Amino acid sequence: MAIEALDVLYMPSRDVEADLKFYRDVLGARVAFAVEAMGTRVAEVVVSPRGPRVVLAGHLAGDAPVLLHRVSDLDETLVQLSARGLQLERRVELPLGPCATFRSPGGQRLGLYQLTRPEVDEHFLDRADF
């Protein structure tokens, strides 16, 4: 089992448009996309050329981000982690691929996902619904 990378900081936002403007206008981030669909808003901002992606999500409950780590085989990784006592909160489907979320004993929100749809980046790139 190998966790390949921390790819995404999935950030809850009470006001995605205002947060997007803050990242862009105050921090100088580039807006990769800003999508409004299925009753929510989601935007990706590029704060620096290195490091994880920052995705602002209006539908994500709570105040803490979810740290999304990429794995090569989600099902196999979950089998191995389950044998070590990992308890999942839920499995969800992200645009990039299948994902499983859980919490650390201290309450950090974590997720593992398998990149099965890399073409999604091109689909959303430069989309600006708001």
Side-chain angles (χ1 to χ4, degrees):
M1 178 205 77
I3 294 176
E4 296 176 3
L6 170 59
D7 281 351
V8 180
L9 299 178
Y10 199 52
M11 308 287 290
S13 174
R14 292 182 189 97
D15 187 337
V16 175
E17 185 173 8
D19 283 339
L20 180 137
K21 288 177 181 177
F22 170 79
Y23 277 88
R24 182 191 63 214
D25 300 343
V26 176
L27 298 181
R30 179 178 61 80
V31 177
F33 65 78
V35 175
E36 185 166 9
M38 297 181 280
T40 193
R41 287 179 163 179
V42 178
E44 180 178 329
V45 291
V46 180
V47 180
S48 70
R50 294 189 197 161
R53 300 159 72 159
V54 176
V55 176
L56 309 168
H59 61 279
L60 186 59
D63 291 324
V66 178
L67 283 64
L68 289 177
H69 295 82
R70 181 175 18 95
V71 297
S72 60
D73 185 326
L74 181 61
D75 290 331
E76 178 59 30
T77 300
L78 292 178
V79 167
Q80 292 178 24
L81 292 176
S82 178
R84 297 181 191 174
L86 179 71
Q87 295 186 6
L88 293 182
E89 283 189 341
R90 66 178 44 109
R91 289 192 69 152
V92 296
E93 213 37 59
L94 301 175
L96 294 170
C99 176
T101 61
F102 54 96
R103 290 182 187 263
S104 73
Q108 293 87 30
R109 296 168 72 179
L110 304 165
L112 301 172
Y113 84 100
Q114 183 175 338
L115 181 61
T116 58
R117 293 181 288 277
E119 70 279 1
V120 165
D121 283 339
E122 286 296 317
H123 176 73
F124 286 116
L125 188 62
D126 295 325
R127 182 170 162 182
D129 294 352
F130 57 95

